[in-house]
Amino acid sequence: MNASLRKIGALLQKDLVDLVKNPAMSVVCLMPIGFMLLYRIVIGDVTADAGLDARQAALAGQEIIKFTLGSALCMTIGMVGSMIEIYGIAEEKEKHTLRTLMLANVGAGEVAASKTLLALLAISVDNLACFFIAGGDVSWLGSYMALGLVGSIPVVLVSLVLGLACRDQMTAGFYSVPVLLVALVPLFGMADENLARIASLTPLGGIYDLMGMAVDGTLISSEALSPLAVTAAWIAASCILFAALFKRVARDN
C-alpha cells in the first residue's frame, strides 16, 4: 500500500511538471479564466448602459452572477478535465511513456489515480480563480468548490476511459469534443425554456442548477432534490462505465 502511494505521488509530480511544460494543456487551463474576464467586462458594460433602476439592477446582477459562476464550473470541468485526461494520456501513449511506466512495474490503476488527482487539482485551482474573477460572494465559495469537485467526477471518469482508449493525440481530439460540448450544454439553457429542461438533465446540468440555488440561498431545500438526483445518477453511471471498461482498455492498449 505504501509503495503504491509513493508511486502515485511520484507520478503526480511528473504529471504536474508535464502540465506546466505542455503549452497546449497550460493554455486550456487558462481559457476558463480568460472567459470569466471577458464575461465580467462584456456583461458589466451591457448592464451599466441598460438604464435599470436599483431594484432591477440588483435582480439582473443576481442572474448574471448565477450564470457566470455556473458557466465557470461547466467550462472548467469540461475543458480542463477532458484535456488533462484525454490528451495527457494520449500523448504519453504516443510517446511510449505509458508503456515505459508499465514496464517499470507501475500499474494502470496508479496511472489512473495520478491523472485523476491532477485533473481534480487543476479544476479546483481554475475554479477558485474563476470564482473571484466573476465576483462571487465569499459565502458561496464552499458550495461552489464542493459542486466543482462533485461535478468533475463523471467527466473525469469518462475522460479517463476515453484517454486510455485513444491511440494518439489525433484520436484524442475526436474523443474530447463530445465531452466538452456535453459539458457546455447548461450554458445555453437561458436561451429557451425547453432547452433549459434538457440542459438540466445533462451531466453538469444538476451542478449548474445547484450553483444557482446556492446564490439564491435555496441550496438546502426540497428544490435541490431534483438536480441532486440528476447529479447522483450521472456519477453512478460514470462509475459503472469506468468499472466495466477500465481494465479492458488498459489491457488492450
Side-chain angles (χ1 to χ4, degrees):
M1 183 66 178
N2 289 335
S4 181
L5 290 176
R6 285 197 297 270
K7 289 179 185 178
I8 293 172
L11 287 170
L12 182 58
Q13 290 180 3
K14 179 194 76 68
D15 290 338
L16 279 169
V17 173
D18 291 342
L19 174 62
V20 174
K21 289 184 176 180
N22 189 314
M25 294 177 71
S26 298
V27 168
V28 169
C29 289
L30 293 174
M31 283 179 66
I33 298 174
F35 275 113
M36 284 303 103
L37 286 169
L38 182 63
Y39 279 10
R40 187 75 183 270
I41 295 170
V42 173
I43 297 178
D45 288 343
V46 170
T47 55
D49 300 332
L52 303 176
D53 59 33
R55 180 176 176 277
Q56 292 173 329
L59 291 174
Q62 186 167 345
E63 292 301 315
I64 288 171
I65 196 65
K66 286 163 61 175
F67 172 76
T68 52
L69 291 179
S71 298
L73 289 174
C74 293
M75 285 191 290
T76 301
I77 294 171
M79 292 180 184
V80 179
S82 63
M83 184 70 174
I84 288 178
E85 298 287 358
I86 300 177
Y87 276 88
I89 295 176
E91 182 181 20
E92 289 189 347
K93 293 177 71 173
E94 193 171 8
K95 294 180 178 179
H96 304 297
T97 304
L98 197 59
R99 182 179 300 174
T100 303
L101 290 172
M102 297 298 182
L103 292 173
N105 199 30
V106 175
E110 293 163 346
V111 173
S114 173
K115 293 294 184 186
T116 300
L117 290 173
L118 178 65
L120 294 177
L121 177 62
I123 288 170
S124 296
V125 172
D126 260 34
N127 277 336
L128 187 63
C130 289
F131 181 85
F132 288 107
I133 291 172
D137 191 292
V138 177
S139 63
W140 308 327
L141 182 58
S143 299
Y144 175 83
M145 296 300 293
L147 289 173
L149 287 174
V150 172
S152 301
I153 295 174
V155 173
V156 168
L157 289 179
V158 171
S159 297
L160 185 59
V161 172
L162 292 176
L164 289 169
C166 291
R167 295 191 179 277
D168 49 43
Q169 293 185 70
M170 184 176 295
T171 311
F174 177 76
Y175 284 166
S176 63
V177 171
V179 177
L180 177 58
L181 291 178
V182 170
L184 296 180
V185 169
L187 276 65
F188 304 99
M190 294 180 67
D192 181 77
E193 186 175 343
N194 293 324
L195 183 58
R197 294 194 188 97
I198 297 173
S200 65
L201 299 176
T202 60
L204 295 182
I207 295 298
Y208 182 92
D209 293 340
L210 288 169
M211 188 63 239
M213 293 178 185
V215 175
D216 289 336
T218 59
L219 184 58
I220 305 177
S221 67
S222 59
E223 295 179 14
L225 293 178
S226 178
L228 279 173
V230 170
T231 303
W234 279 108
I235 291 175
S238 64
C239 289
I240 293 171
L241 179 68
F242 178 79
L245 298 180
F246 175 69
K247 289 185 178 180
R248 179 180 177 183
V249 295
R251 182 181 66 246
D252 289 349
N253 289 279

